[in-house]
Amino acid sequence: MALEAYLKAGPTGGGRYKRPLGFYIALCGVLTFYMFLLGGFKGLIEAQPEGLLAPWLERAGSSREAFVNDVDGWMSLLATPILSLFYAGISAPFLIWWSGLDRRKGLRATFVLLNVWTIPIVLLGPLPFLPLFQGYAGLFFQLVFVISFLRVGEGLWFQTWLGGIAKGLLLCVVLLIGAVVGMQPVLYLSLAGASLAG
């Protein structure tokens, strides 16, 4: 089992695997590429109060449509790397607490879990991000996360399947909170980037 090798034989599992953090960054890079190709944040941008967008739009000196397109591009570029940091930061304390591992091994195990979660999403390509599937993507991502948690965490983060499902669902809620909080810097950095680019 990969996680056991990482914990017993070091950050490369005794030379058998890539470092979990580096592999996670690579996976997030692929997801960023998908998002950059497809966009998809216009609805979120348009839902913002006019008082929030107006100063940035004025600073950009461009049309509203062009500005929204620019913000969408920036958000597509920034969302995955920033949210991935929030996912790791908000889930690691729970995983370290449940496992009793030291901080270094606990973080390593966290990134192993995030990798197991992200690989199926990457393998699906841009499909989950297409407008036709976006309504189901959130539920799919959460289901894949719980399955990933159950697959790699038995004996480390939980002892029984019922406990594993409960903890997996709790972590889903935690990750949703991380996504909501993490979207704030994504939005504001994107507004700043679009206003400067204009």
Side-chain angles (χ1 to χ4, degrees):
M1 185 182 195
L3 180 54
E4 186 177 358
Y6 277 120
L7 295 178
K8 289 184 176 178
T12 62
R16 295 164 57 191
Y17 304 107
K18 297 290 185 184
R19 291 176 180 267
L21 175 57
F23 190 50
Y24 186 56
I25 291 171
L27 292 173
C28 290
V30 177
L31 291 179
T32 299
F33 177 69
Y34 294 158
M35 293 298 296
F36 188 69
L37 285 179
L38 297 171
F41 290 100
K42 287 185 180 179
L44 177 62
I45 299 163
E46 294 286 5
Q48 300 305 312
E50 190 60 35
L52 174 64
L53 296 180
W56 299 99
L57 177 57
E58 184 179 349
R59 199 170 304 156
S62 59
S63 70
R64 181 183 177 86
E65 183 180 356
F67 177 69
V68 169
N69 285 335
D70 285 344
V71 176
D72 185 37
W74 278 99
M75 290 186 76
S76 300
L77 188 64
L78 295 174
T80 300
I82 290 177
L83 290 181
S84 64
L85 290 175
F86 276 83
Y87 292 155
I90 202 167
S91 60
F94 288 90
L95 296 172
I96 292 171
W97 172 34
W98 293 337
S99 66
L101 295 170
D102 62 55
R103 189 171 59 86
R104 179 176 293 182
K105 287 185 176 180
L107 285 173
R108 192 181 305 154
T110 298
F111 284 110
V112 170
L113 172 61
L114 292 175
N115 286 335
V116 173
W117 177 37
T118 308
I119 288 170
I121 298 170
V122 168
L123 292 178
L124 284 174
L127 187 66
F129 307 102
L130 295 174
L132 181 64
F133 299 101
Q134 280 181 352
Y136 306 99
L139 182 60
F140 170 75
F141 293 160
Q142 292 169 38
L143 178 62
V144 171
F145 180 82
V146 173
I147 293 170
S148 301
F149 181 77
L150 293 173
R151 183 180 170 204
V152 301
E154 187 174 11
L156 178 65
W157 296 312
F158 64 91
Q159 304 301 322
T160 66
W161 281 97
L162 186 60
I165 292 170
K167 286 182 175 180
L169 291 173
L170 173 61
L171 278 181
C172 282
V173 174
V174 167
L175 292 174
L176 286 173
I177 293 169
V180 171
V181 174
M183 281 306 294
Q184 297 307 304
V186 170
L187 175 62
Y188 282 96
L189 286 171
S190 300
L191 289 169
S195 67
L196 292 173

